[in-house]
Amino acid sequence: MFELDKNKKPDYECKPSKDHFECTPKHHHPHVSLGKVVTKVPVVLAELTLHVNLDTFINFPEPVLEIKDIKKRIKLTQCRLLLPTNKLFIKGFVRKNIQYASPSQEIQASSSSSVASDLHSYTVDIPFQVVTEIKDFLSRPVMPQVNNRKEFDFFVSKPLSTGFPEKDELLTSDLSQFHQESSQHYNELPFCELVSSQIIEWDEAIDRKPLPTSSPIDEGYFQTIEEKMVIDFTVRVLQNQQIRVSSATNDPDCYDESE
């Protein structure tokens, strides 16, 4: 049975503090393979900024007195580099959370000097898609290798039926057998990362009406807005590739111990 050496000091030290133990860890120097090493890492193929223009309508589920705030976020559902071409297909949507005030007669009836309202929020997804062309690759992608299948047959000779000379034979391949050689390649599929985005929007009510009861000057409600958005977002296209790196030293002195 394994027994602990009571005389051996641990690799770390823990000292009791006021309400906890303070431990000084032991730092381990990693093992490093020296020489020219082949590794498999994500390689950046391209980094590009795309431009999308959107014009859409948003219908609210209830009357809106005014919009208080809008939070936006881009989400990509597809980003596919279609090898062996250089076409990049992107699909996604803009998630918008709209915080707004809705007039509420249940709280207090509106008057010539006041309007009572509830604060609500409405979340909507606005889809978009774009196809672009990568003209300048930072690193060339590894093109996919094509699968193939090849059929082959074996020669057979068979006696002929009656009505043919006895010395003649049927020379052909065997239809009762099937032979094939096939190969498959499991290629690395390029993938994307969303780096940044910028959205400029213009929202305008298109069905604004005065409140049906007494209300202050210029107060009204609406349920539909027309939204125009200019979207610029940056994506990084990567692919896992094998590359060769040079590892020259495993000297612990090359690490700054003060960090």
Side-chain angles (χ1 to χ4, degrees), residues 224-242:
T224 304
I225 61 173
E226 182 179 5
E227 180 181 66
K228 297 177 175 63
M229 283 192 295
V230 177
I231 306 172
D232 293 301
F233 62 98
T234 301
V235 294
R236 184 180 295 125
V237 185
L238 306 99
Q239 184 186 40
N240 288 326
Q241 295 183 7
Q242 296 184 87

Side-chain angles (χ1 to χ4, degrees), residues 210-226:
L211 290 173
T213 59
S214 176
S215 61
I217 297 175
D218 199 36
E219 293 294 338
Y221 72 96
F222 58 89
Q223 281 194 246
T224 304
I225 61 173
E226 182 179 5

Side-chain angles (χ1 to χ4, degrees), residues 18-204:
K18 183 178 180 181
D19 54 356
H20 62 280
F21 280 89
E22 293 184 356
C23 297
T24 302
K26 177 184 177 181
H27 295 274
H28 296 271
H29 180 64
H31 171 75
V32 177
S33 298
L34 302 180
K36 294 182 178 180
V37 181
V38 177
T39 183
K40 183 179 180 180
V41 295
V43 174
V44 179
L45 305 181
E47 187 169 315
L48 60 161
T49 299
L50 303 176
H51 183 85
V52 178
N53 299 321
L54 293 178
D55 190 346
T56 187
F57 295 91
I58 297 178
N59 297 311
F60 289 87
E62 60 186 343
V64 177
L65 185 68
E66 65 175 340
I67 294 177
K68 293 294 186 180
D69 191 17
I70 300 179
K71 295 182 179 179
K72 301 169 290 294
R73 177 175 300 180
I74 285 183
K75 293 187 176 182
L76 298 184
T77 58
Q78 183 185 86
C79 184
R80 183 71 64 235
L81 177 59
L82 189 61
L83 296 178
T85 73
N86 59 350
K87 300 293 184 179
L88 184 66
F89 292 77
I90 294 179
K91 287 183 180 181
F93 58 88
V94 180
R95 179 190 184 273
K96 302 195 69 172
N97 178 261
I98 306 173
Q99 300 176 14
Y100 62 93
S102 179
S104 176
Q105 295 293 329
E106 290 78 9
I107 298 176
Q108 184 183 29
S110 60
S111 65
S112 60
S113 61
S114 65
V115 179
S117 62
D118 286 330
L119 288 179
H120 295 168
S121 70
Y122 185 59
T123 301
V124 60
D125 292 339
I126 302 173
F128 66 88
Q129 60 181 0
V130 61
V131 180
T132 188
E133 183 177 343
I134 301 178
K135 297 181 179 180
D136 298 318
F137 283 98
L138 300 176
S139 298
R140 298 297 303 178
V142 176
M143 294 299 175
Q145 298 186 53
V146 180
N147 298 337
N148 63 73
R149 290 179 293 179
K150 299 178 181 179
E151 297 180 14
F152 58 93
D153 293 304
F154 291 100
F155 164 76
V156 293
S157 61
K158 298 181 179 179
L160 289 169
S161 59
T162 58
F164 294 90
E166 293 183 359
K167 294 183 179 180
D168 290 346
E169 291 182 332
L170 175 64
L171 307 180
T172 183
S173 59
D174 194 346
L175 293 177
S176 66
Q177 298 181 4
F178 179 80
H179 311 278
Q180 185 184 75
E181 176 188 357
S182 63
S183 63
Q184 291 80 35
H185 299 276
Y186 305 95
N187 302 286
E188 289 288 347
L189 186 67
F191 59 95
C192 298
E193 292 178 351
L194 184 59
V195 179
S196 63
S197 64
Q198 180 182 17
I199 301 176
I200 301 174
E201 67 176 289
W202 177 291
D203 298 326
E204 184 176 17

